[in-house]
Every structure is written in C-alpha cells, then in structure tokens.
Amino acid sequence: MSWSQPVWLLGLLLVPIIWWLHRARGHGVPWSVASLLLWSESAQQGSVGTRRAAADPAWWRRAAIAALLVTALAAPRVQLERRPVTVWVDDGLSMATIESDGASRWQSGLARAQETLAARSLVQTEWRTISGQSLPASPQDLRRLTPVTVLDASREHWLVTDGADPRVRAWAAANGIARIVPVGTVTENVAIVALAARPALDSPGVLDVEVEIVNSGLRAAQRTVALAGAGPAQVPRALQLAPLADARLRWRVSRAAGAIRVVLQPGDALAADDSLTLTAQQLQPLDVQLDASCPSGLRRALAAHDELHLQSGAVPQLRIDCANRPGPQSPGAVPRLLLPAIDDARTVGAAALLWSRDAVTENLAIPLPATLRIGTAREFDSARDQVLLWTDGRPAITRTRVAPYTVSTWIDLEQPALQREPEYPVLVAALLDAAWGRPLLRRFEQVTREPALTRIVPERRIALASVPRAARAGRDDSEPLLWLALLLMMWDLAASLRQFIALRREQVAR
Amino acid sequence: VNELPAAADLAAFGRLARRLLVQADSRRAGTRTVRGRRGAGLEFLEHRDYRAGDELRHVDWRLSARRSALLVRERQVDAGGDWWLCVDASSSMATGAGAKWRVAVQCAVAFGYSLLDLGSRVGLLVYADDVVMQLPCGRGHTQFARLARALREWQPVQRRAGSRLASCAAQLSTQASAIAFSDFLTMGPWQRELAQLRAQTQTLRALAFCDAADRRLPLHQHLSLMDIETGQQRDLVPGAAQLEAAAHAWSTRVRELQRCCARESIRFSVGDVAAGWRGAAVQHLRVQAGPR
C-alpha cells in the first residue's frame, strides 16, 4: 500500500485531541441534580466496585470519523497490477526554467520520473509531450501545441509538470493522469511579452517602438531594459515592477534598422522570455513602379506620400498602370492601381457618388471634390470585382476580390482641375490603400508572447479527482473509507438526535 | 401556587391521625397515660403538698379544708402542646418538577390540620440555609387558615439554596415538638443537626421524601451534573451501573437516617412522592418510635 498524499496522515493526531476534548475537558450536557451525593465516585464504587465511569460513547465515533477522513485524504493506494506507463511531459515555456541546481525543470523532471520508474521496475515506458509529440532534444525547443485529449486506457499515465499553467492542471484532472511528477521551486520571473513598432506619423525616418514587460513572480523585481540593433545606441532604462504588474516602455529608433531587439538585464531563471526581436523590414517605404503614361499630378501625389518610394527597379512592391485594360493578374504579381483610358468622361457632382458598403467597412470612403469627371466602365466583371464607388448606377472604382488586389478607377485623374484640388493626394492615397489591402500610413509590426506562459510559480496541488479507476495503476481505497466515514457520521447524527429527544423528554418530565 | 389537600381528605386524615397520634403518645410513655410537664399553664395536672415558697393563689383551699393539710394545684405547661412544622424549602425539593415540595407541603398541611384538631398549637418554619419564613404558634381554624395560606403560596428557591435543619433549632422552645419535612439529601452534617434539633424538642418526627426522578438520568449521554444546592459539578456518562449506584447511595442514606433517628428517638419514615401525600403521611403515623 502507498499513499498519494501522506502529509494528511498527520491529521491522525486529531484522535487523541478528540479523546481529550471528550474525557478531560468535559463538554457534557448541563444537567441539574438534587444532590451529587447520589452520583459521586464513592457512591458508584460502593456499588459496583472500582469500575470507572463509562466514556462518552460519542468520542470513539467521532475519532473514527476523523481517522477515516484523514486516511481517505491521504489517498491510500493498493498496487494491483503493473501496466506500461506513458510519461507525459509538460512542454510549456516554464519547464525551461533553470532551478537553483543549474538544471532546467525539464531535465529535473525527466530524471525524477526515470528514477521513480526504475524504483518500480517499470520498463515499458513511452515518453511524450502533452501535445503528443516526441520529446525535444533541449528545453529551448519547447513549444506548446494542442494537448492530447484522449489517452490510452490500457496504459498508466504520468505527468511531469511544474503545474505553473492552470490549463495543464485542468488537462491532468480531465485526462486520467494517475501520477504527477512535480518539479520546480523558483517563483521569480520577469518577461518581455510584447514588442511593437510602427512608422512615426510626425517623422518619416523614425519608428515608434513599444515594449511590454510583465513581472510574473511573487516579489517585486528590478530590471534594466536595453534596446539593440536600432541605429544609434539607446540608453538602457531601469524598471521597478510590483508582483504581477506590467509596464510599457516607448522608444524612437531609426527607420533604417533592420531588426529591433529588446533585452532584460540581469537575466533570471527563465532566460527564454528575457529578450524579444522584431524584424522591421516590413515597415520600410514601399517601392512603387509608375507607368510613364501616368499623369504628372499623380506622380507628384506619390512623391509626397511618406510610405511610398518611386522607383523604376525590376521588383516593385506596388505598380501603377495607366491606359491599360482591366483584367486578371498573372501569378506572383504585385498589387496594382489601374487607370483605364477614358473617352467618354462626364462631370458628376459629389451628390451622385456613393461609396459601397465594402469601402465604408474598410475605411476607404473619403470626402471627394465637388465635381469629378468620370468615364464609363466598359469591362466590369461582378464575379471578379467588387465595386467600391458607384456613380449613377455604374462603377467608378472597383477592386478584385482576391489579393493581390487590382484597383481600377474610371475617375479622370488627368483632369487638371482635379489635380489642383486638396483632395487629390488623399484620393490617390485611398486608391493605393485599397490596392495594398490596408492603410499604408497605419502599418505596424509586433511580436508577442502569451503572459500566462511566462508564469513559472510551481503548483504542487493538482487535483486528480476525475481520474477514472481503470486509468490508475493501483486501486484507490479512499472511496470505501469515505463511505464508512459517511455512515459513521449518519450514525453519530442519529445518536445525537436520539439523545436530544431523550434529553427533551427528561427535561419535560422533570 | 401549591395544591393543598381537599377538606374531606383532611377530615378523614384527621380522624385517623387522632387515633394514631394518641396511640403513639401512649406507647411512647410506656404503660402510663399521657402526662404533661409541670409548669405555668392553664391545664390542671395534679395536687401536691404545699411547700415553702409556693404562691398562696395556687392553694386549693376547699380540698385543703377537707384533708386538713395545705394542698396546691399544679398545672402543666402549655408548651407541651406546641408543634412546629419544619418544611425544607431547599433547591433540591424543587427538582423532579417539584413533586417532593408539593407532597411535603400537603403533608405539612395535613399534619397541621390534625394537630390543630387535637387542640395543639401549631407553628410553621420554612427553612433552607436559614429560616426563610416563620408562622408563630397558634390554635384553631384561624391558625390553620394562616398555615394553609402560607404553604400554598411559598415555593422553594430554585438554585443554590442548601438545607440546614439546625437553623430551625434556634427558633424552637425546649418544650415544643416538631415535625421535619425534607428529602434529607444534604451533604452537610445532617446527623448533628438532627441531634441538635432533637435535643431542643420534646418530640421530633421526620418525614423524608424520595422521588425516583432524583435517581434517574438519560442513559449513555455525556452529562455535566450540577448539584442544584451547592453548584458543584461533575461529568458523568450514566449507564445502568450508575443508576444502580445511585439507588444504592439513596438506600445507604436511608439506613443512616434510620439508625440516627432510632438512636435519637425520632419517629422517621420515608415517603415516596409517587404514593402521594396521603400515603406518606399515613405511613409516618404507623411508624414505631425507637427507644430514647
């Protein structure tokens, strides 16, 4: 027989305490008698020898209840058979925590599980992560995937975990884990959980960078946050964080930086979350290729756009074609703005223009000049294209439904009066936003880490209440004890009730 | 308010008591009839020769003339007919729903009625740790009415009132007789108190009342017993052995009372409250007196 929670056996000390409470302290029902002469020790001894007064019969019932409950809480286990064991290993980030002995929780857990298996002479063992994968070679390769939900009932299942993640604890309770191999003692960790960058709106050559840092430990922590790879050296910033508090820090770095790296100093037990790197290449201005036949006003509007870079290179990121026919793109093509040739342009007032629901939804709807010259869309395929702007029941701006997008407009952008309007560059920017798929001025990049994964505080109390009997290696004998304790409690309750009724009767009779 | 015996019951008991009390007094005096004690009473006792110092007003001149010698009339003291009813009003008399107190009061009223009917003067002493109520001796229906009213309205102290019979002794004259009504469950020096009271009285009778409820407890329950008179406590889980021991303790107390009363020539009886006042009182009337 073995005990799953042997510490509960200390509760057996309750038995002598209960005895003392019943015998030494005397908590009897107050009862007035005419004279203690009739109930004195000497009177009883004179009659029945030296026999002592009987103990309160309730004491042993209550002592037995306490003993049974304590024994049941200690979870006695009787070994019935030896079945092959599958050892599931928690593959959460916290298992990479380095403990005071220099080993990671991952390594310690594996070693402890192997020792236990060897002590029980269990050899048919399978080792898996709780995602169902083979064990990675190093704790640095830990990566949590979707946990396995159905375990093999013919095997005994163990779990090596620090219990830091409540989802793992819930998984253990719900999936028939028979034994927990607990690891971990370190509780303090500070982590970088987010790094984000975007072009500064007020300065074209600068990126705004924001870092979020969380103290997942149980005590206040102090760290220095350093930013690397961001052009000119940035001054590290000191940070004081209360337990479970978070903080956001902001920097401005050069847009020329290829990668931004944030590092916490000094490092702590979980080094994997002490740094975070963001690639800023996607935040550089887009290379735009412009057709030579495009109007000069359009060229000027593009040159004034902070997020565009006119070039004539071989691999543009955005292309603008003037006087071309709408049509499907070739594979591997880039987003483009298409300005078909217009030969029947007519003047249309702003009241005759109507943005479609798609345009409004994507924030493409902008204020338009009071008058526009708009031609007739001759080739429009409703299955291929969606209309963004309508005029008199005909499309004025369309976009292909599938990325990379091609935006076609029949608005006469060569119209000199329109090119002098202040809305002209805004209209051009909106057409390019529609082609790119999202607003060019609001581009950002971010790298995040789930804050729950940075919590490394170990939790050893993992409930296995729902483990099915068949999945356990031994028979759990706590249930009969609980039933017996319940029966005794009912007996004690009935006896107390009977005594209460008897007392009431006696009191009424007296 | 205590329920007192009905008038018809008292009258019937009075007839029985008159006969048994006279028989008892006759037996107590051996072969002689009742003889009073000389004193300054009104009742004539006997004639004797004149002795120097006798008052001339006691000379029976008519008889002296016929006998040619001075003879004086002797009278018996009236105190020889005084009876005190000493009723125990300690807290133990109130246990068992007050059955002992109720029967004691009824017995006291019955004996008071009978003694007044016999022409005696009757007084009342209700005592606990000390005398708590006193009704001076008196005769006739008026005294019975006072006696009945006093006993009907009196109740024993519910808690912490002991029973000290000696407190009555100081109130009694040496020529008086007394009847003590008590459960005699005191743990004090009751034997000395009985002897002290006996020495103070011409005749002493004692009625002990027992109630089976005093020797009954709920079985197999952890009780914290408290002596209702002294407040002393003791834990006990009563079983059959404890009930048996309690009965034994009571029997021992009764035997001790009987021995003490026999030694002191006290008429003593034990009356079970279950038999009612009539049973207890009649049983007491039939008790033989021990030698003095």
Side-chain angles (χ1 to χ4, degrees):
Chain A
M1 175 181 285
S2 61
W3 306 91
S4 296
Q5 304 286 338
V7 70
W8 280 103
L9 293 176
L10 289 174
L12 289 173
L13 293 174
L14 283 172
V15 173
I17 293 174
I18 292 172
W19 176 86
W20 180 74
L21 287 173
H22 281 78
R23 294 294 294 267
R25 292 291 301 274
H27 287 288
V29 179
W31 198 264
S32 297
V33 293
S35 174
L36 280 183
L37 165 78
L38 302 177
W39 310 106
S40 65
E41 288 280 0
S42 57
Q44 293 175 59
Q45 287 174 2
S47 171
V48 293
T50 55
R51 186 171 48 185
R52 293 195 59 177
D56 183 353
W59 98 264
W60 70 263
R61 281 200 304 266
R62 289 161 189 165
I65 289 169
L68 287 170
L69 285 177
V70 163
T71 310
L73 285 170
R77 308 272 300 278
V78 176
Q79 191 70 29
L80 296 178
E81 58 179 334
R82 288 182 178 175
R83 294 186 296 169
V85 175
T86 298
V87 182
W88 301 89
V89 187
D90 184 359
D91 49 5
L93 185 63
S94 61
M95 291 295 287
T97 302
I98 305 298
E99 291 292 330
S100 55
D101 59 357
S104 69
R105 291 181 180 178
W106 172 272
Q107 294 162 333
S108 300
L110 295 185
R112 190 173 298 176
Q114 283 167 342
E115 286 173 12
T116 311
L117 287 167
R120 294 178 56 182
S121 305
L122 295 172
V123 290
Q124 296 180 335
T125 307
E126 179 186 20
W127 297 80
R128 309 288 290 275
T129 69
I130 62 175
S131 307
Q133 309 297 314
S134 301
L135 297 191
S138 160
Q140 278 69 35
D141 301 328
L142 288 174
R143 181 164 167 265
R144 171 72 52 76
L145 299 175
T146 305
V148 175
T149 54
V150 179
L151 305 186
D152 184 355
S154 65
R155 302 180 69 88
E156 181 180 340
H157 299 279
W158 294 14
L159 172 62
V160 178
T161 182
D162 56 5
D165 191 339
R167 291 169 297 189
V168 174
R169 300 200 295 268
W171 178 85
N175 285 280
I177 296 299
R179 188 188 189 99
I180 299 288
V181 180
V183 292
T185 56
V186 175
T187 59
E188 302 309 306
N189 182 40
V190 178
I192 301 171
V193 294
L195 170 61
R198 71 177 182 189
L201 296 178
D202 56 351
S203 182
V206 173
L207 292 177
D208 283 332
V209 176
E210 185 173 86
V211 180
E212 183 177 1
I213 299 158
V214 169
N215 180 9
S216 303
L218 302 179
R219 293 194 296 269
Q222 194 166 11
R223 293 288 190 279
T224 300
V225 187
L227 197 64
Q234 300 283 339
V235 178
R237 298 186 188 176
L239 192 63
Q240 179 81 26
L241 280 172
L244 303 180
D246 63 351
R248 293 168 186 263
L249 302 178
R250 292 185 177 84
W251 280 271
R252 284 208 147 180
V253 303
S254 169
R255 197 163 184 173
I260 303 168
R261 178 176 169 81
V262 185
V263 180
L264 285 177
Q265 294 168 338
D268 50 34
L270 182 56
D273 60 7
D274 288 343
S275 64
L276 209 54
T277 302
L278 173 72
T279 302
Q281 289 291 349
Q282 297 297 325
L283 298 177
Q284 300 298 325
L286 297 180
D287 287 332
V288 180
Q289 188 181 59
L290 191 63
D291 193 339
S293 61
C294 291
S296 58
L298 178 59
R299 183 177 295 273
R300 286 195 299 275
L302 295 176
H305 199 297
D306 287 338
E307 297 302 316
L308 299 177
H309 178 249
L310 287 174
Q311 63 108 30
S312 55
V315 188
Q317 293 172 284
L318 195 64
R319 205 171 71 214
I320 300 175
D321 292 335
C322 300
N324 267 342
R325 295 290 179 188
Q329 292 230 60
S330 57
V334 298
R336 64 174 177 164
L337 173 63
L338 194 61
L339 305 177
I342 300 173
D343 50 9
D344 57 347
R346 65 194 184 287
T347 301
V348 176
L353 297 169
L354 180 65
W355 289 100
S356 69
R357 188 174 59 185
D358 294 328
V360 173
T361 304
E362 294 187 38
N363 293 322
L364 296 175
I366 59 169
L368 293 171
T371 58
L372 286 174
R373 284 176 59 80
I374 299 178
T376 303
R378 299 186 185 282
E379 296 183 14
F380 167 62
D381 182 357
S382 60
R384 184 190 64 196
D385 302 326
Q386 61 180 155
V387 177
L388 300 180
L389 181 67
W390 291 94
T391 172
D392 296 333
R394 291 176 295 180
I397 303 175
T398 64
R399 185 176 69 175
T400 55
R401 295 184 183 275
V402 180
Y405 300 113
T406 295
V407 174
S408 303
T409 179
W410 285 269
I411 299 173
D412 185 5
L413 295 179
E414 295 182 18
Q415 181 186 355
L418 177 60
Q419 292 182 15
R420 289 194 296 273
E421 291 287 341
E423 290 89 348
Y424 186 80
V426 178
L427 175 60
V428 171
L431 292 170
L432 293 173
D433 286 350
W436 185 250
R438 54 179 177 162
L440 290 169
L441 290 174
R442 280 184 263 167
R443 287 186 300 158
F444 70 95
E445 290 293 330
Q446 67 174 2
V447 183
T448 60
R449 179 178 287 136
E450 193 176 346
L453 294 180
T454 67
R455 186 168 177 79
I456 64 169
V457 179
E459 174 59 73
R460 291 179 181 271
R461 290 173 299 176
I462 301 177
L464 298 178
S466 59
V467 176
R469 183 183 298 273
R472 300 192 178 185
R475 191 185 69 215
D476 185 352
D477 283 338
S478 61
E479 195 170 311
L481 297 176
L482 286 174
W483 279 111
L484 194 54
L486 184 64
L487 280 175
L488 277 174
M489 274 192 273
M490 292 176 66
W491 181 12
D492 192 50
L493 189 66
S496 299
L497 191 62
R498 190 166 54 84
Q499 288 180 2
F500 174 75
I501 293 172
L503 285 172
R504 291 283 300 178
R505 284 182 179 162
E506 282 287 337
Q507 284 168 347
V508 169
R510 285 160 70 92
Chain B
V1 175
N2 302 307
E3 183 185 356
L4 299 183
D9 292 336
L10 287 175
F13 177 73
R15 286 193 294 275
L16 178 65
R18 185 181 301 122
R19 181 165 54 87
L20 291 177
L21 279 174
V22 169
Q23 287 177 358
D25 286 343
S26 302
R27 282 198 297 273
R28 179 176 63 81
T31 57
R32 297 178 55 192
T33 55
V34 176
R35 182 175 180 186
R37 299 169 66 183
R38 295 181 181 85
L42 298 176
E43 293 292 324
F44 171 78
L45 181 61
E46 62 184 356
H47 288 96
R48 64 169 173 81
D49 294 336
Y50 176 81
R51 289 197 291 263
D54 287 343
E55 294 185 31
L56 291 179
R57 62 189 178 97
H58 292 156
V59 175
D60 187 341
W61 297 106
R62 189 185 302 272
L63 187 62
S64 298
R66 276 206 300 271
R67 300 276 181 90
S68 302
L70 278 175
L71 296 173
V72 296
R73 290 191 185 91
E74 282 203 320
R75 301 178 187 279
Q76 64 180 21
V77 293
D78 288 340
D82 287 355
W83 284 85
W84 287 92
L85 308 176
C86 304
V87 184
D88 182 4
S90 62
S91 297
S92 64
M93 294 292 284
T95 59
K100 286 183 292 187
W101 171 255
R102 197 165 49 249
V103 175
V105 162
Q106 290 167 341
C107 284
V109 168
F111 274 94
Y113 176 88
S114 303
L115 291 167
L116 288 169
D117 190 44
L118 285 170
S120 299
R121 299 202 313 158
V122 175
L124 174 66
L125 291 172
V126 179
Y127 70 98
D129 287 316
D130 208 340
V131 173
V132 293
M133 197 266 282
Q134 180 174 8
L135 178 66
C137 279
R139 295 179 193 278
H141 298 298
T142 307
Q143 179 67 1
F144 178 73
R146 289 195 203 101
L147 179 73
R149 186 166 57 246
L151 286 174
R152 187 173 62 239
E153 296 173 357
W154 199 266
Q155 294 294 337
V157 183
Q158 291 296 318
R159 284 183 182 279
R160 297 295 180 95
S163 172
R164 200 167 69 85
L165 188 58
S167 62
C168 297
Q171 312 294 328
L172 302 182
S173 61
T174 52
Q175 290 78 24
S177 298
I179 308 176
F181 304 90
S182 174
D183 57 3
F184 292 98
L185 280 177
T186 178
M187 291 203 278
W190 57 272
Q191 290 171 311
R192 196 173 66 218
E193 292 182 4
L194 264 178
Q196 187 180 349
L197 188 63
R198 177 67 188 96
Q200 192 74 16
T201 54
Q202 186 179 8
T203 303
L204 179 60
R205 292 171 174 269
L207 270 81
F209 298 98
C210 69
D211 186 355
D214 286 345
R215 304 184 298 276
R216 192 172 61 227
L217 288 177
L219 289 177
H220 309 306
Q221 300 190 38
H222 189 191
L223 302 177
S224 183
L225 301 183
M226 187 190 74
D227 189 306
I228 202 166
E229 292 189 0
T230 64
Q232 291 177 349
Q233 291 188 339
R234 174 161 182 263
D235 283 351
L236 183 73
V237 180
Q242 280 68 42
L243 298 189
E244 181 189 343
H248 183 265
W250 172 246
S251 302
T252 304
R253 172 54 62 94
V254 169
R255 280 196 301 275
E256 290 170 350
L257 279 165
Q258 286 170 336
R259 276 198 296 270
C260 175
C261 290
R263 190 169 59 243
E264 299 292 339
S265 188
I266 300 170
R267 293 179 188 277
F268 172 75
S269 69
V270 179
D272 192 338
V273 297
W277 70 268
R278 210 175 289 107
V282 171
Q283 182 183 358
H284 180 77
L285 289 176
R286 298 185 188 280
V287 170
Q288 298 286 333
R292 173 137 204 199

